[in-house]
């Protein structure tokens, strides 16, 4: 007797022996004293019940009453009793098994409880609320939840139905699906009678002209194939409409009856129970359709620029109406979707969605088909940035008549390029060092799409040097840096003398001296300073634009670089002047559009979603229809709008 479960088991055995849920406290104490005497040699802990067992038993009863497993009645009288609720639970569970075999048996009602049993033993709840909860538990039930359900206290529910219909007793150990089977069986039993069958079939045909075949099929399935009928209400489509009409017609006719028979009451109860189930499955089907549509939109968004997304960015995705997708599906649905997309191998190929990790520890998702094109684009972007930075830096070093190992040593130069990539193009660096790139390269580029192989990434099974990937020759940077020097830096007599005078002295140290690199020169946008002294509204817009920029500009990049990258994707003109003119025309169009639009936009509404909407409206105008690459143009317009507001 070390836990309450044993005491509850003894209470149920005693109630079953007397075939009644109501146990007198005094009789049970005498029984426990006798039980302890008989089984003391098996369990020495029973010794506490040999003398004055009332106190020990009361401790157990208090715990069981708190759990809701029993109810104490007449607590302060000599007729103190114990109501064992599980006795009624098992009793009415057997009744439901009988009804399932014989639908003519009525539902157990709260008025069927014995006279001395308080009605509070039944936990009264609105049927629509409780049954929806039970249907959810049935859908989500697994082995662990089923075991937990078995260990939870047994309950006797009282289902409260509309129109003051009698409360139905429903035991917690009976499946809610059995209740639905019984409700439909009672309706089916009524419709099998010829007069009711023809009457309600005719009503459905009159209200649904031209659907005779569908209605006849629905009626035949329900009456002759019960299992299919049950499964049909768990699916979407026209079946919900027919079921709703049938239940409405039956309820409408029976609610006109003044003197109900027991059979009439049971039928009305069945109609309400079926309507609750129909409402639940209809809502579930609608949510499932909504989830499917939202996940389809998510797949499309993953194909849009910038093509790589963090988990936080994906959680913030919105549909075309600006509504967040997270909410149309749950976080669990999103996690399951991402897990399936990143682990599903088809024909021994890589999954459709891949993940890669930055050196900062942040993870990103990218579609398999976008990896190689993105690397090509990022390499082109990084080349211009790194070349410009190194040229300026090496120019400053040459100007001091100094040098660094990267200027003369190939390995040191490659290390320097790696350092530049890590700090200025972390996405590209992470992709180049991802564990899937070699497999993807040989799978997609060489095996299937060699015609589109515009960038060679591997040689002899190894990643090519950074200088080859970026097409950055060390000699080219040296030449560009020296061109910027004054002429006398390259005139031997003068340069020797100036070098001797200006070259920095190198201190001698024991051991190897680490390579010292010059700090990178970073260009900063001075446009914010021009907005000082403006009113609060402009400050609010600037803050909103900065928030949007943080969301859209990847780490390690900046606004100018992203604008240039997207401009190169939609502006394919080769003539330099025509190329500049086209870009300026688009910029001018965006500026004019923003001057008119910004007056009607609140700063609080200037979000990424709203900016995408404004950009979408602009690129659909006739002036921009001739530009074919709409996705990069859209992103260019979005970023340019943010830059204008800043």
């Amino acid at each position: 007797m070390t836990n309450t479960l044993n005491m509850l088991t003894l209470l149920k055995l005693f109630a079953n022996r007397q075939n009644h849920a109501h146990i007198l406290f005094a009789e049970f104490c005498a029984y426990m004293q006798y039980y302890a005497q008989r089984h003391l040699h098996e369990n020495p802990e029973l010794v506490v019940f040999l003398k004055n067992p009332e106190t020990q038993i009361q401790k157990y009863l208090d715990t069981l009453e708190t759990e809701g497993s029993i109810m104490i009645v007449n607590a302060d009288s000599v007729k103190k009793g114990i109501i064992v609720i599980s006795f009624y639970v098992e009793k009415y569970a057997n009744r439901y098994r009988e009804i399932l075999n014989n639908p003519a048996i009525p539902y157990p009602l709260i008025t069927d409880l014995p006279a001395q049993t308080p009605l509070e033993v039944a936990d009264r709840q609105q049927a629509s609320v409780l049954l929806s909860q039970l249907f959810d538990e049935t859908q989500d039930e697994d082995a662990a939840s089923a075991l937990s359900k078995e260990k939870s206290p047994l309950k006797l529910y009282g289902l409260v139905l509309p129109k003051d219909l009698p409360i139905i007793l429903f035991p917690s150990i009976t499946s809610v699906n059995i209740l639905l089977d019984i409700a439909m069986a009672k309706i089916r039993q009524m419709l099998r009678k010829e007069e009711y069958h023809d009457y309600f079939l005719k009503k459905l045909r009159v209200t649904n002209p031209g659907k005779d075949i569908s209605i006849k099929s629905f009626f035949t399935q329900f009456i002759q194939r019960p299992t299919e009928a049950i499964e049909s209400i768990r699916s979407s489509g026209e079946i919900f409409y027919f079921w709703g009409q049938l239940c409405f017609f039956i309820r409408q006719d029976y609610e006109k009856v003044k003197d109900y028979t027991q059979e009439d009451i049971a039928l009305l109860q069945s109609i309400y129970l079926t309507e609750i189930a129909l409402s639940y499955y209809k809502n579930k089907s609608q949510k499932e359709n909504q989830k499917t549509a939202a996940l389809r939109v998510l797949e499309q968004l993953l194909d849009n620029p910038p093509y790589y997304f963090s988990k936080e960015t994906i959680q913030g995705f919105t549909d075309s109406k600006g509504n967040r997708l997270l909410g149309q599906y749950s976080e669990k649905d999103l996690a399951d979707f991402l897990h399936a997309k990143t682990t599903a191998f088809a024909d021994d190929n890589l999954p459709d969605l891949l993940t890669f990790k930055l050196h900062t520890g942040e993870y990103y998702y990218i579609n398999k088909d976008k990896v190689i094109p993105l690397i090509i684009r990022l390499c082109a972007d990084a080349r211009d940035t790194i070349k410009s930075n190194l040229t300026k830096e090496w120019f400053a070093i040459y100007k001091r008549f100094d040098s660094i190992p990267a200027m003369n040593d190939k390995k040191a130069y490659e290390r320097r390029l790696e350092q530049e990539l890590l700090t200025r193009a972390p996405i590209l660096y992470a992709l180049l060092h991802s564990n899937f790139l070699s497999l993807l390269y040989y799978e997609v580029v060489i095996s299937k799409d060699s015609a589109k192989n515009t960038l060679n990434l591997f040689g002899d099974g190894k990643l090519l040097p950074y200088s080859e990937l970026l097409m950055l020759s060390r000699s080219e940077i040296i030449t560009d840096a020296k061109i910027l020097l004054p002429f006398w830096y390259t005139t031997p007599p003068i340069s020797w003398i100036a070098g001797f005078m200006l070259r920095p002295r190198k201190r001698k140290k024991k051991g190897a001296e680490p390579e010292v690199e010059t700090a990178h020169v970073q260009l900063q946008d001075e446009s914010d300073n021009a907005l000082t002294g403006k009113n609060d509204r402009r400050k609010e817009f600037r803050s909103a634009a900065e928030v949007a920029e943080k969301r859209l500009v990847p780490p390690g990049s900046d606004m100018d670089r992203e604008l240039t990258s997207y401009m190169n994707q939609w502006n394919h003109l080769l003539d330099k002047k025509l190329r500049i003119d086209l870009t300026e025309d688009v910029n001018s169009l965006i500026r004019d559009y923003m001057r008119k639009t910004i007056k009607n936009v609140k700063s609080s509404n200037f979000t990424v979603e709203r900016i995408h909407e404004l950009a979408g409206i602009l690129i659909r105008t006739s002036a921009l229809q001739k530009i074919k690459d709409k996705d990069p143009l859209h992103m260019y317009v979005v970023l340019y709008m943010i830059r204008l507001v800043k």
Side-chain angles (χ1 to χ4, degrees):
M1 293 300 298
T2 57
N3 53 57
T4 57
L5 181 61
N6 292 336
M7 178 59 74
L8 182 59
T9 301
L10 291 172
L11 284 168
K12 287 194 289 186
L13 290 173
F14 192 78
N16 288 332
R17 190 174 69 172
Q18 68 176 20
N19 197 26
H20 204 286
H22 188 277
I23 299 174
L24 290 176
F25 181 73
E27 291 182 3
F28 184 69
C29 288
Y31 168 76
M32 283 302 302
Q33 196 170 26
Y34 173 75
Y35 182 87
Q37 291 172 355
R38 290 283 303 272
H39 299 279
L40 184 62
H41 64 284
E42 299 173 5
N43 190 351
E45 294 182 9
L46 292 173
V47 68
V48 296
F49 298 106
L50 293 177
K51 293 181 180 181
N52 299 323
E54 292 82 359
T55 304
Q56 295 297 327
I57 291 175
Q58 187 60 48
K59 292 180 181 178
Y60 284 100
L61 296 183
D62 290 341
T63 304
L64 291 171
E65 187 176 27
T66 302
E67 293 177 354
S69 299
I70 65 169
M71 180 179 290
I72 305 296
V73 294
N74 302 321
D76 299 326
S77 71
V78 293
K79 293 186 178 181
K80 178 180 179 180
I82 309 165
I83 304 295
V84 184
I85 297 177
S86 58
F87 177 86
Y88 287 127
V89 172
E90 294 175 357
K91 174 184 176 181
Y92 291 116
N94 292 331
R95 173 79 69 83
Y96 273 95
R97 283 190 282 271
E98 294 174 4
I99 301 174
L100 194 59
N101 294 324
N102 183 9
I105 301 174
Y107 293 104
L109 307 177
I110 197 169
T111 53
D112 295 340
L113 291 170
Q116 68 272 28
T117 302
L119 300 182
E120 286 75 14
V121 297
D123 181 12
R124 302 187 194 190
Q125 296 196 33
Q126 290 293 326
S128 57
V129 176
L130 177 62
L131 295 186
S132 296
Q133 179 183 340
L134 294 178
F135 277 125
D136 281 334
E137 291 176 0
T138 302
Q139 297 292 324
D140 300 333
E141 191 172 282
D142 53 17
S145 61
L147 183 61
S148 174
K149 187 175 180 180
E150 288 180 4
K151 291 183 178 180
S152 61
L154 302 182
K155 284 189 175 183
L156 184 65
Y157 295 112
L159 303 181
V160 181
L161 296 170
K163 303 295 182 180
D164 295 326
L165 287 173
I167 296 174
I168 298 176
L169 295 176
F170 183 66
S172 61
I173 60 174
T174 299
S175 171
V176 67
N177 291 326
I178 291 179
L179 182 64
L180 177 59
D181 289 345
I182 290 172
M184 297 182 71
K186 288 182 177 293
I187 299 173
R188 187 183 300 107
Q189 187 182 41
M190 181 269 292
L191 290 177
R192 278 177 176 161
K193 298 176 182 178
E194 187 174 349
E195 63 274 18
Y196 291 112
H197 179 280
D198 295 342
Y199 173 72
F200 287 110
L201 180 58
K202 182 179 179 181
K203 271 201 162 188
L204 281 175
R205 283 175 169 170
V206 170
T207 53
N208 296 279
K211 296 185 177 180
D212 290 359
I213 297 177
S214 299
I215 292 171
K216 180 65 176 176
S217 175
F218 159 71
F219 234 71
T220 303
Q221 181 193 58
F222 174 51
I223 294 174
Q224 297 181 5
R225 301 190 296 276
T227 304
E228 291 183 17
I230 291 289
E231 290 300 323
S232 68
I233 71 166
R234 296 188 175 97
S235 62
S236 60
E238 200 175 34
I239 194 72
F240 286 130
Y241 177 71
F242 291 151
W243 263 111
Q245 280 198 323
L246 177 62
C247 290
F248 172 75
F249 290 146
I250 296 174
R251 176 164 48 81
Q252 186 182 49
D253 281 14
Y254 272 80
E255 284 179 348
K256 295 177 183 178
V257 178
K258 294 182 179 180
D259 297 324
Y260 288 126
T261 64
Q262 193 177 48
E263 184 180 359
D264 295 339
I265 292 174
L267 185 62
L268 270 176
Q269 290 171 327
S270 299
I271 289 294
Y272 281 115
L273 292 174
T274 304
E275 286 182 326
I276 291 170
L278 288 171
S279 176
Y280 170 82
Y281 283 111
K282 183 178 181 181
N283 290 335
K284 187 173 182 296
S285 176
Q286 290 174 344
K287 289 180 180 178
E288 190 66 27
N289 292 337
Q290 183 187 55
K291 181 185 79 172
T292 303
L295 290 175
R296 194 178 300 116
V297 173
L298 172 61
E299 284 189 273
Q300 295 172 355
L301 291 176
L302 290 173
D303 267 337
N304 292 343
Y307 307 122
Y308 54 93
F309 306 94
S310 65
K311 182 72 174 290
E312 292 73 20
T313 304
I314 293 175
Q315 289 175 338
F317 278 168
T318 59
D319 58 19
S320 58
K321 298 180 181 178
N323 300 321
R324 286 189 67 185
L325 295 179
L326 186 59
Q328 299 178 44
Y329 48 70
S330 65
E331 290 191 9
K332 182 179 181 301
D333 294 330
L334 176 59
D336 292 343
F337 170 84
L338 294 177
H339 177 73
K341 284 290 185 179
T342 54
T343 56
F345 292 85
D347 300 328
D348 296 327
N349 290 330
L350 289 170
D352 293 334
L353 194 65
L354 304 172
T355 60
F356 63 96
K357 181 182 178 182
L358 299 187
H359 65 283
T360 57
E362 189 174 4
Y363 279 91
Y364 282 87
Y365 294 87
I366 183 171
N367 271 335
K368 178 173 66 174
D369 297 338
K370 301 297 182 181
V371 173
I372 302 301
L374 180 62
I375 289 177
I376 295 173
R377 193 201 93 183
L378 293 178
C379 281
D381 296 344
R383 181 185 187 279
D384 296 336
T385 303
I386 294 175
K387 182 181 179 182
S388 175
N389 291 334
L390 290 181
T391 301
K392 291 177 181 178
E393 181 184 332
W394 289 11
F395 163 72
I397 294 173
Y398 279 130
K399 197 172 182 181
R400 300 195 306 269
F401 292 94
D402 201 358
S403 66
I404 57 174
M407 294 176 172
N408 306 308
D409 182 64
K410 182 177 180 181
K411 291 184 178 179
Y413 177 65
E414 292 295 335
R415 288 196 298 270
R416 182 53 197 276
L417 289 180
E418 182 177 11
Q419 180 185 357
E420 287 285 329
L421 276 178
L422 186 62
T423 55
R424 301 190 180 279
I427 298 296
L428 175 59
Y429 183 84
L431 286 172
L432 291 175
H433 291 271
S434 61
N435 54 7
F436 57 75
L437 182 61
S438 57
L439 296 174
L440 177 64
Y441 182 76
Y442 290 106
E443 172 190 321
V444 178
V445 177
I446 293 182
S447 301
K448 297 181 179 180
D449 213 2
S450 57
K452 296 182 180 180
N453 182 13
T454 57
L455 179 66
N456 190 20
L457 298 179
F458 290 89
D460 297 328
K462 295 181 180 180
L463 188 68
L464 292 176
Y466 299 110
S467 56
E468 293 187 33
L469 291 173
L470 299 174
M471 293 182 287
L472 273 178
S473 169
R474 180 161 48 95
S475 59
E476 180 183 355
I477 297 176
I478 291 174
T479 302
D480 291 346
K482 287 184 176 180
I483 288 175
L484 300 175
L485 294 171
F487 77 94
W488 52 269
Y489 271 77
T490 56
T491 305
I494 302 176
S495 63
W496 294 340
I497 298 172
F500 180 77
M501 301 279 296
L502 301 177
R503 184 177 293 113
R505 305 296 180 184
K506 295 184 179 179
R507 298 179 181 178
K508 295 183 179 180
K509 293 185 178 181
K510 294 182 180 180
E513 181 179 358
E515 179 181 339
V516 180
E517 301 279 349
T518 306
H520 300 172
V521 179
Q522 297 183 349
L523 297 178
Q524 297 181 350
D525 187 0
E526 300 295 337
S527 59
D528 288 344
N529 296 331
L531 295 176
T532 55
K534 300 296 182 180
N535 55 29
D536 292 341
R537 186 171 186 271
R538 294 195 175 185
K539 291 180 180 179
E540 292 173 359
F541 267 105
R542 183 198 294 175
S543 299
E546 290 173 351
V547 172
E549 181 181 3
K550 288 180 181 179
R551 281 188 58 184
L552 293 175
V553 176
S557 185
D558 55 35
M559 179 67 77
D560 290 336
R561 181 177 170 186
E562 291 299 307
L563 283 170
T564 303
S565 173
Y566 286 118
M567 186 269 291
N568 290 335
Q569 293 180 61
W570 61 262
N571 192 342
H572 302 296
L573 296 178
L574 298 178
D575 185 275
K576 186 176 181 180
K577 186 177 183 304
L578 293 178
R579 182 184 178 86
I580 294 174
D581 290 344
L582 176 60
T583 303
E584 181 54 34
D585 289 343
V586 173
N587 293 346
S588 178
L589 187 64
I590 300 172
R591 288 195 295 269
D592 294 341
Y593 177 70
M594 286 300 291
R595 287 193 192 98
K596 300 175 184 177
T597 307
I598 201 69
K599 299 176 183 178
N600 302 320
V601 178
K602 294 181 179 179
S603 59
S604 58
N605 293 337
F606 195 72
T607 61
V608 173
E609 291 74 20
R610 180 61 174 148
I611 300 169
H612 276 293
E613 290 180 10
L614 295 175
I617 294 172
L618 180 59
I619 64 174
R620 286 194 292 270
T621 59
S622 58
L624 296 178
Q625 287 302 304
K626 292 183 179 180
I627 299 178
K628 297 180 180 180
D629 296 309
K630 290 294 188 293
D631 287 343
L633 176 62
H634 179 93
M635 289 301 299
Y636 179 86
V637 173
V638 168
L639 293 175
Y640 197 82
M641 285 179 174
I642 294 173
R643 183 176 183 179
L644 287 175
V645 173
K646 281 189 62 179

